[in-house]
Amino acid sequence: VQLQASGGGLVQAGESLRLSCAASGRILNIHAMSWYRQAPGKERELVASVGSGGRSTYADSVKGRFTISRDDAENTMILQMSSLQPEDTAVYYCYADVDQIDSDDDVSLHYSTIHLWGKGTLVTVSS
């Protein structure tokens, strides 16, 4: 099972960008999904999370500008970012808690919960 993030790029302040994160592999269930970011010289920080029931939370710095969503049928997560500012410049990472199918036959199914990080996607906002 792996996560693949995409959608980063270079934009000007005030513009919008849409990040996607797709999970692939032998997946039974995906629990919470999140976006983190890490700016140069700073620690990685939580940007937004969405639970399996769809409830979302946001960092104060992005409230009202970013929207997180998920499509469980497609095992994807979206971060819609608007009114981007130079301080949003960072590498963005997706994260998910996933029930990975270990074995599956006619009698039983075995799975394990794993904690996955996707490779980052760079967002650069110019002033």
Side-chain angles (χ1 to χ4, degrees):
V1 178
Q2 60 180 359
L3 297 178
Q4 180 67 47
S6 62
L10 172 63
V11 297
Q12 294 188 336
E15 293 184 341
S16 299
L17 207 57
R18 184 174 182 265
L19 304 183
S20 298
C21 177
S24 61
R26 301 191 74 197
I27 298 169
L28 177 64
N29 187 39
I30 301 178
H31 303 283
M33 304 182 78
S34 303
W35 286 97
Y36 286 76
R37 67 185 180 187
Q38 187 166 18
K42 295 187 176 182
E43 294 186 354
R44 191 171 298 188
E45 64 173 353
L46 177 63
V47 176
S49 293
V50 57
S52 56
R55 183 174 181 179
S56 57
T57 59
Y58 299 91
D60 287 342
S61 59
V62 307
K63 279 182 182 176
R65 300 188 298 123
F66 290 11
T67 301
I68 190 171
S69 61
R70 60 189 286 169
D71 183 339
D72 290 332
E74 299 292 333
N75 288 335
T76 58
M77 173 177 61
I78 300 295
L79 185 68
Q80 180 66 46
M81 306 183 293
S82 60
S83 302
L84 283 162
Q85 299 301 315
E87 51 266 34
D88 295 315
T89 295
V91 177
Y92 285 70
Y93 300 89
C94 57
Y95 172 88
D97 296 324
V98 179
D99 291 337
Q100 169 184 264
I101 297 172
D102 297 323
S103 63
D104 182 14
D105 55 36
D106 292 338
V107 177
S108 62
L109 180 147
H110 297 276
Y111 69 93
S112 55
T113 302
I114 59 176
H115 311 290
L116 284 176
W117 288 95
K119 291 184 179 179
T121 183
L122 177 62
V123 172
T124 304
V125 185
S126 64
S127 57

